[in-house]
Amino acid sequence: MTMKIIIAIDSFKGSLTSLEAGSAAAIGVKNFLPDAEVKIYPLADGGEGTCRTLTEGLGGQIKSVEVLNPLGEKIFAEFGEIPQKNLAVIEMASAAGLNLVPKNLRNPLNTTTFGVGEIILSAIRDGYRNFIIGIGGSATNDCGLGMLTALGFKFFDAENNLCGIFGRDLKNVVAIKIDEVPAEIFDCKFKIACDVKNPLTGESGCSKIYAPQKGATDEIVQNMDGWIKNFFELTLKTVPCPLPAVRYTEGDGAAGGLGFAFRTFLRGKLLPGVNLILDALNIADDLKNANILITGEGSIDSQTLQGKAPAGVAKLAKKLNPKIKVVAIGGAVQNIGGNSEIDATFSILRKPISLDEAMKKNIAQENISAVVEQIIRLLV
């Protein structure tokens, strides 16, 4: 019987992309089992690198578009277009990420998600109506004010003037107008890769938990939490979108309230990142009758089991096919215990080596191929 082996490895950040790591693993399989049926899937969890990983894996292309960065300056950001699925893939961090703001300028009062809305508009103009959007790594705490403004929602102050697009402008919002939003916005389906469980406001809300990382002082945190509470109340009165009965929903606080903006204004669905990506890849059918799954990432540790991509694909594999053997590989590998769907873990390092040397592309590829060959020899 021909062995069927599925390879779905997350990127080795700074060294190999997901598909590069997968291709190196496939070489290792074929070195010992040249007749094996091997399928390589890209893997990501909705965080950094998801756009390129998913776009490349689904045969799409990357497009660059000029947008505003978190500080309101023009930059070029990219997103993925996958025509055969009428799908656009976006990482909000490409337009509103913390990495785009110098440390001395970080302050959520002065940052905006406007550029995220501009990317969405560009994709809509290109004809796309299905969206997968990763919202990790934000520099913002504007509750989506900037993004929504870019999409055509209008926010007014007490003197009936249009509000600005930055976090500081939340304090002025007293009215929302939605009747001039282009109709195609509401034709779109937004799936949001969101692994953050924080509600919008309060002790576990976006301002209290995440704004300090973005440059907020205690005073700014307190003020912004109050402004966002008011924004929430105003949204309840204004936006004709069904909201759950509970006032504080898990995930609303993601990306400084962007989760809330997607869920309420755009009817978006907040979903665990890895589950969303695996569904988009349609990997389930192949896992059902596979013999071995090889997964992994650069560093395998306790965090791997907390919703990271290798744990997600391992869980799906065991659910669909309890007999499948699941092996994870990584550069650095710690003991992740016995409560996992991952049967065994292996480091790809074969001798003492510096981190810089280990991360060289050709070295990492050779090491992956070699250790995967040994894994297959052992299992088969």
Side-chain angles (χ1 to χ4, degrees):
M1 181 181 70
T2 301
M3 294 288 293
K4 183 173 183 177
I5 299 170
I6 306 302
I7 299 173
I9 302 173
D10 202 350
S11 64
F12 281 46
K13 288 183 173 57
S15 179
L16 299 174
T17 68
S18 172
L19 289 179
E20 286 172 340
S23 297
I27 291 173
V29 173
K30 290 291 188 177
N31 283 345
F32 183 67
L33 287 179
D35 296 328
E37 179 184 354
V38 179
K39 289 198 173 183
I40 304 170
Y41 284 90
L43 192 61
D45 57 14
E48 180 185 357
T50 293
C51 175
R52 282 192 167 271
T53 295
L54 193 54
T55 302
E56 183 179 0
L58 293 176
Q61 61 274 333
I62 296 294
K63 180 175 181 178
S64 183
V65 59
E66 188 175 57
V67 301
L68 297 186
N69 74 0
L71 299 176
E73 303 164 341
K74 289 185 177 181
I75 61 168
F76 281 94
E78 62 182 34
F79 68 97
E81 295 185 324
I82 304 167
Q84 61 270 31
K85 288 182 173 286
N86 189 231
L87 174 66
V89 184
I90 298 171
E91 290 178 28
M92 73 84 62
S94 67
L98 190 61
N99 63 312
L100 299 176
V101 183
K103 288 186 178 180
N104 64 313
L105 296 179
R106 291 178 181 177
N107 184 336
L109 295 177
N110 303 325
T111 54
T112 179
T113 54
F114 191 87
V116 180
E118 290 182 296
I119 297 176
I120 293 171
L121 276 182
S122 178
I124 289 174
R125 294 189 187 108
D126 287 347
Y128 293 94
R129 295 295 182 268
N130 298 312
F131 290 82
I132 290 177
I133 302 180
I135 58 173
S138 73
T140 54
N141 200 57
D142 70 352
C143 210
L145 177 67
M147 177 190 75
L148 295 169
T149 300
L151 293 176
F153 294 86
K154 293 186 177 179
F155 303 89
F156 296 90
D157 63 18
E159 298 178 352
N160 204 36
N161 296 315
L162 287 171
C163 294
I165 61 173
F166 295 93
R168 61 180 179 267
D169 296 306
L170 280 169
K171 68 178 181 292
N172 299 320
V173 179
V174 299
I176 303 172
K177 189 174 183 180
I178 68 172
D179 56 359
E180 295 181 18
V181 177
E184 54 265 31
I185 298 292
F186 299 111
D187 292 334
C188 296
K189 295 180 180 179
F190 295 94
K191 293 183 178 180
I192 312 304
C194 176
D195 293 304
V196 167
K197 302 298 184 183
N198 301 75
L200 187 61
T201 60
E203 288 302 306
S204 299
C206 57
S207 300
K208 182 74 172 180
I209 301 300
Y210 297 109
Q213 304 170 11
K214 305 170 186 181
T217 62
D218 290 344
E219 181 181 2
I220 290 173
V221 167
Q222 184 175 355
N223 287 338
M224 296 200 85
D225 190 57
W227 301 342
I228 290 175
K229 284 179 181 176
N230 292 336
F231 189 81
F232 174 88
E233 297 292 343
L234 185 60
T235 301
L236 288 183
K237 299 174 184 177
T238 308
V239 180
C241 175
L243 291 168
V246 293
R247 297 178 67 79
Y248 299 101
T249 302
E250 284 190 351
D252 275 2
L258 197 61
F260 170 78
F262 272 114
R263 186 177 64 82
T264 55
F265 288 83
L266 299 174
R267 303 176 178 87
K269 294 183 178 180
L270 308 183
L271 301 166
V274 65
N275 294 355
L276 180 51
I277 302 307
L278 292 174
D279 182 63
L281 292 170
N282 196 28
I283 193 175
D285 287 344
D286 275 327
L287 289 174
K288 289 176 183 177
N289 56 10
N291 302 102
I292 300 169
L293 167 65
I294 298 173
T295 186
E297 60 182 341
S299 178
I300 297 176
D301 51 34
S302 59
Q303 292 187 24
T304 300
L305 303 183
Q306 306 302 315
K308 299 291 284 296
V313 71
K315 184 176 182 179
L316 178 63
K318 289 292 189 178
K319 177 182 178 182
L320 297 172
N321 182 0
K323 293 183 178 180
I324 193 172
K325 295 296 183 183
V326 179
V327 178
I329 61 173
V333 176
Q334 298 179 16
N335 182 9
I336 59 175
N339 300 318
S340 167
E341 285 81 5
I342 297 173
D343 294 308
T345 57
F346 293 84
S347 172
I348 66 170
L349 299 180
R350 295 178 287 165
K351 62 181 180 180
I353 191 173
S354 70
L355 179 61
D356 288 342
E357 188 73 9
M359 291 182 66
K360 288 181 180 178
K361 189 181 292 289
N362 64 312
I363 298 296
Q365 289 171 320
E366 290 171 4
N367 284 340
I368 288 175
S369 297
V371 75
V372 168
E373 180 179 345
Q374 297 306 310
I375 289 168
I376 296 302
R377 286 178 179 273
L378 176 63
L379 292 179
V380 177

